Amino acid sequence: MTAPTAPLILFDDDHYMYVLKDRAFAEAWWEAPDEFAVGFDALARPLSMTGEPLDVRLALAGEESDEAELRRLVAEHYRDHLRGQVPPRATALADFVAALPREGC
């Protein structure tokens, strides 16, 4: 299986979204795998997280894109956590992902 394509879009157990610049940054940023709910790479492929607290690892969980689910979760994040703001409206996936707010950049 190939490596995830950056950036990585991760959702915690409260479905708060984090857009992290690459896999190394994401693995250093994230503290514990039990706080991870779901994640995607820039191609909307699902991610899995394993490891121990302060030592997590991310990998692709599959090669098939789930763009609809990524867009749904992003919309949910904006509705629940960024009230008054609207999610990106780009139709192309690459443009949509590029317009997401990033952490640590």
Side-chain angles (χ1 to χ4, degrees):
M1 197 173 288
T2 61
T5 301
L8 305 184
I9 304 105
L10 308 181
F11 296 86
D12 68 14
D13 50 359
D14 291 324
H15 287 272
Y16 192 89
M17 176 182 72
Y18 301 86
V19 182
L20 305 168
K21 67 181 182 177
D22 59 28
R23 186 167 137 190
F25 185 82
E27 290 175 346
W29 172 280
W30 209 265
E31 291 185 3
D34 63 343
E35 296 172 349
F36 175 82
V38 65
F40 301 88
D41 75 350
L43 302 177
R45 298 177 297 181
L47 299 172
S48 65
M49 182 180 288
T50 59
E52 301 294 325
L54 303 176
D55 185 27
V56 301
R57 290 189 182 54
L58 286 162
L60 286 174
E63 290 289 338
E64 190 170 323
S65 177
D66 194 353
E67 183 176 347
E69 180 66 359
L70 172 60
R71 287 179 183 267
R72 185 189 72 75
L73 288 168
V74 168
E76 190 176 282
H77 167 77
Y78 272 77
R79 184 191 72 229
D80 295 346
H81 301 286
L82 300 176
R83 293 186 176 102
Q85 297 182 43
V86 295
R89 295 188 175 148
T91 55
L93 178 59
D95 296 334
F96 177 79
V97 169
L100 295 173
R102 295 188 185 189
E103 302 288 337
C105 292

